[in-house]
């Protein structure tokens, strides 16, 4: 396996990327429930297979009071009734935007998210999803490893 650029060096080489992603993520998340943002970040990271981000966001969610049993079944959120309608719409939107390379965003999915979020919230939710997808790609690309 080829040696990758180490985690701290990635952001030292281009600190504006770090700042820009943090600023975008914060701007989007400030207008939505923190518990919802945790679920979105974790679900996108699961889809993308980013162990570093999954570990970090699961820990952050638990620190903020998220229940472990909800995190345990997050990949199967459609099969359980423990997520609210708003959370379910956000998770469907997260999956749709994260999987754009293999699936288009359906009108049904947009209609569902629109039933539970106003236009500004949809923009912020979409920006939060775009941000975690960017973080995932950096972390996976440079083999960031979780600190256990």
């Amino acid at each position: 396996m080829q040696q990758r650029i180490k985690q701290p060096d990635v952001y030292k080489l281009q600190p504006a990327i770090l700042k820009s992603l943090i600023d975008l993520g914060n701007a989007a998340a400030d207008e939505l429930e923190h518990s919802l943002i945790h679920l979105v970040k974790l679900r996108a990271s699961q889809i993308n297979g980013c162990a570093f981000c999954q570990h970090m966001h699961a820990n952050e969610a638990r620190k903020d009071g998220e229940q472990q049993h909800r995190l345990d079944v997050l990949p199967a959120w459609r099969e359980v009734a423990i997520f609210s309608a708003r959370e379910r719409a956000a998770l469907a939107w997260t999956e749709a935007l994260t999987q754009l390379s293999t699936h288009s965003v359906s009108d049904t999915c947009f209609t569902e998210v629109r039933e539970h979020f106003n236009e500004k919230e949809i923009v912020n939710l979409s920006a939060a999803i775009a941000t975690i997808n960017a973080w995932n790609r950096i972390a996976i690309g440079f083999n960031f490893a979780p600190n256990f």
Side-chain angles (χ1 to χ4, degrees):
M1 180 178 280
Q2 188 172 3
Q3 179 72 25
R4 307 281 171 104
I5 300 169
K6 293 181 180 164
Q7 179 181 349
D9 294 337
V10 168
Y11 301 119
K12 286 179 187 172
L13 291 168
Q14 184 46 279
I17 291 172
L18 177 66
K19 182 182 181 332
S20 296
L21 287 174
I22 289 171
D23 289 347
L24 178 60
N26 287 342
D30 281 349
E31 306 249 345
L32 296 166
E33 309 92 273
H34 292 290
S35 60
L36 183 72
I37 293 296
H38 288 310
L39 294 175
V40 163
K41 288 179 178 180
L42 186 53
R43 184 65 192 123
S45 298
Q46 290 169 340
I47 293 166
N48 289 324
C50 184
F52 179 85
C53 294
Q54 287 179 59
H55 179 70
M56 178 173 57
H57 295 301
N59 284 339
E60 289 174 353
R62 281 189 294 272
K63 271 188 198 174
D64 283 349
E66 183 58 75
Q67 299 170 27
Q68 183 61 50
H69 70 274
R70 284 170 38 98
L71 298 178
D72 291 342
V73 297
L74 184 58
W77 63 268
R78 284 182 174 86
E79 300 174 28
V80 293
I82 59 175
F83 298 100
S84 71
R86 183 172 165 92
E87 290 169 333
R88 296 171 76 75
L91 291 168
W93 193 242
T94 299
E95 290 183 359
L97 295 186
T98 299
Q99 298 172 329
L100 284 174
S101 66
T102 57
H103 301 88
S104 62
V105 178
S106 71
D107 289 341
T108 302
C109 186
F110 184 75
T111 299
E112 181 182 352
V113 78
R114 194 167 201 167
E115 287 176 14
H116 299 282
F117 294 85
N118 65 40
E119 288 181 350
K120 185 175 182 182
E121 289 174 327
I122 295 170
V123 169
N124 284 312
L125 179 59
S126 300
I129 295 164
T131 304
I132 188 57
N133 276 282
W135 285 117
N136 289 166
R137 280 145 181 78
I138 291 169
I140 293 167
F142 293 104
N143 286 333
F144 291 6
N147 294 321
F148 294 110

